Structures are given as structure tokens and as C-alpha cells.
Amino acid sequence: MSDVLLRIEDLSVDIGGVRIVEDVSLALRAGEALGLVGESGCGKTLTALAAMGLLPPQARVAGRILYDGEDLTQATRERLEQLRGDRIAMIFQEPMTALNPVFSIGDQIRESLTLHRGLSRRAADARAIELLERVGLPAPAAQLTRYPHQLSGGQRQRVLIAIALACEPRLLIADEPTTALDVTIQAQILELIEKLRREMGMALLMVTHDLGVVSEVCDRVAVMYAGRIVEEAPAGRLFAQPRHRYAQALIATAPASNPRGAALPVIAGQVPPPGARGPGCAFAPRCGFALPDCAAALPPMRGEAHRAACWNPPA
């Protein structure tokens, strides 16, 4: 489709000879928000890093990652550096480690503006102040000389958003952007990301384990388990009628699915580590609805607008 901005085709990632991500295919249209959800260890962040060309040197990649038709797996380091921070930007999970502690806030916002836009220091400062104001930081001019340790967690996250938006990217990847924040600040940051996305017409890939985040922000949802996509659908449809038992279990554990004050259900067991996945559905050992076929053979992905890979889907 001509409006697809990011297309991932049959992506597999091996590190140290171990398959971490396997046969992942996703498409993200211009201006659309796609949520990539699953528990820790499912391969979500590695998929996002692959899209940014930020995998470790020992990683081996198969498949294609197309940004606006250009295969990033074949791009040179110089080409990736041209795109990162300019056309494609990322908000990382932990703002205190994502920001450089020895450089001021102004220095860190100016970097992409001088590198990608060739702005003078004065023009870059003016743009930085505008960005900090846009993301809701008080006294934005005064923030330029401050350092990350002088800001609260929510303020640091807003700085990361300002840096990511500095060159008005077409694609924004947000990796667990609210994990380190308290509930009130989480809501503010999510509202800010959604507001800016709509104002700027960006595509958004939201990587998260929080289904509440997805329900508020995303148009579509892709559910990832043990390195594979197991279900993908429009957000409303997936929450109303999941077709994979793992997606069903995730939704059942969400606070919104349970009465206020009730103990939340849990999914027994753990995500299998890479290298310890059997030939069938990796969720079968944790699934209360597993059939003999589930552990024996990998289920195919079925469907189009709503696709899922499950031998015994919910009715």
C-alpha cells in the first residue's frame, strides 16, 4: 500500500547464534499509531531497535525493514545516521540513562538541530525553547542551562520528547515511555504524545506491556509473544474479541477488565527464554486451553484485518 511508511517483512534477529525475534511482519501507515504489546522478554524492544538500526554489532538480521520504501537493513551507517533523529526518532524507556548527564538540556536538543538542520546556535536555541514550551516545561529558556539530574522524572521525559520531535520526524518510536513515571505523570505524558502526534501527523510505534496505554493511544495493536507476532487487529476489535489465547490472557489481567479493588489475575509461568522454545506455539505450556497440536506444530497466521496464530482461538 502506498501510504505504508514503515513495513517490516519476515524480520528475524539472532544474537550469539540464538534466535530472539522470528518472522515478524508489521506495517505502519503514515499518521497511524500501532501498539506493540507483550510481556518483558517477548522481543518488542529488539524489534524497535532493529527498525532504528541500533542493534548490537553481534546481531544478525534476516528480512527487510522498509522506511518509505527504503530497505534499512541494507543502508550504510552514514545513511542511518542521516535518518535517525531526523525522519525517524525514538523515545527511550528510561530518561535518566537516555539523557547524557554531562551535557546540558540545551546542548542535547541543539545537537540534532545543528546536525540535521544546520541551524546556528542562536536559531537552535530559539527552536529548543519553542520545543520545551510545546512539551509543557515551565520557564523553557531557563531549562537550557540545566542538567538532567536537576529535573524530575516527568520533566526529563518531556525533554526526551522535545529531542525526538526537534526535526519533526515522520515516524516516532516510543519504547515504554511511561514505565519510570508515577501514574499521574504517565497520563500527562501519554496525553502529550497523542496531542503532538495528531498535530504533526506522525506515525507512532508504541512499544509497551501496558494495555491501558494501548487502548488510549493506538489505532491498531500487534501482540508479541516469545519473539513472534501472534495477533494483530484494530485496537477496538482486539480488546472486544481477541483471537489468540495469549492476547485474551493479557486483557484479562488488565485493571480495566476487573472490578475495582479485586485481585488481578496473573498468567502462570514465564515467557520461555530464547533457545528454549519448542516446535509449536510457545504459549502452549502456559495456556489452559492448549490442545495436543499446540505444542507439536506452529499455528499459521490467519485473517487479514484481524489476524491471529492460534490452534484453539477464543469463541
Side-chain angles (χ1 to χ4, degrees):
M1 297 176 63
S2 60
D3 64 341
V4 172
L5 184 64
L6 177 70
R7 185 184 297 278
I8 298 175
E9 297 179 346
D10 302 320
L11 174 69
S12 293
V13 180
D14 291 16
I15 298 179
V18 177
R19 181 65 50 90
I20 311 294
V21 170
E22 188 163 9
D23 296 332
V24 167
S25 294
L26 292 169
L28 178 58
R29 296 172 179 82
E32 183 182 38
L34 171 66
L36 184 58
V37 304
E39 295 165 281
S40 296
C42 284
K44 307 183 303 299
T45 293
L46 204 65
T47 301
L49 292 175
M52 289 288 290
L54 291 174
L55 291 172
Q58 67 270 31
R60 297 293 176 263
V61 177
R64 300 201 302 168
I65 301 171
L66 303 172
Y67 169 76
D68 205 17
E70 179 179 358
D71 188 355
L72 301 185
T73 66
Q74 303 301 313
T76 63
R77 184 179 67 179
E78 290 75 17
R79 177 56 178 156
L80 289 172
E81 289 175 350
Q82 288 176 352
L83 290 171
R84 286 196 299 254
D86 184 15
R87 299 296 81 199
I88 307 172
M90 189 166 183
I91 303 171
F92 293 92
Q93 185 171 150
E94 174 48 65
M96 196 60 198
T97 56
L99 293 169
N100 192 318
V102 302
F103 289 100
S104 70
I105 300 305
D107 289 334
Q108 298 186 63
I109 300 176
R110 276 191 295 267
E111 182 178 16
S112 61
L113 293 168
T114 55
L115 177 65
H116 295 296
R117 294 292 180 263
L119 299 186
S120 66
R121 183 183 177 97
R122 176 176 293 183
D125 279 350
R127 172 64 173 156
I129 291 169
E130 175 190 332
L131 287 163
L132 292 174
E133 183 174 22
R134 193 170 191 181
V135 300
L137 275 179
Q143 306 292 349
L144 297 185
T145 59
R146 302 183 76 190
Y147 289 81
H149 73 273
Q150 297 175 299
L151 277 62
S152 69
Q155 289 174 328
R156 287 192 292 265
Q157 195 65 284
R158 289 172 188 269
V159 170
L160 282 182
I161 295 171
I163 293 171
L165 300 183
C167 294
E168 299 188 349
R170 296 184 65 199
L171 169 62
L172 177 64
I173 299 173
D175 183 13
E176 301 281 11
T178 62
T179 294
L181 307 175
D182 65 50
V183 174
T184 302
I185 303 301
Q186 282 183 17
Q188 294 175 6
I189 294 299
L190 288 175
E191 183 179 355
L192 174 62
I193 291 173
E194 177 64 4
K195 175 177 179 289
L196 295 174
R197 179 182 77 86
R198 294 193 180 279
E199 288 177 358
M200 300 174 69
M202 293 183 300
L204 172 66
L205 177 61
M206 175 71 77
V207 177
T208 183
H209 64 272
D210 189 333
L211 293 177
V213 169
V214 170
S215 66
E216 292 180 28
V217 173
C218 297
D219 304 306
R220 287 188 303 117
V221 184
V223 181
M224 195 167 192
Y225 187 78
R228 287 180 172 272
I229 301 298
V230 298
E231 184 165 4
E232 182 186 356
R237 189 179 302 179
L238 186 138
F239 283 107
Q241 192 172 12
R243 292 183 181 172
H244 194 283
R245 293 295 181 178
Y246 178 59
Q248 181 187 43
L250 280 182
I251 293 168
T253 65
S257 301
N258 293 274
R260 182 182 294 273
L264 297 179
V266 297
I267 306 174
Q270 296 180 334
V271 179
R277 302 164 186 165
C281 173
F283 186 60
R286 306 174 69 189
C287 180
F289 302 91
L291 303 173
D293 283 347
C294 295
L298 193 68
M301 186 71 80
R302 298 189 178 99
E304 294 183 8
H306 188 165
R307 61 194 189 108
C310 188
W311 288 121
N312 186 21

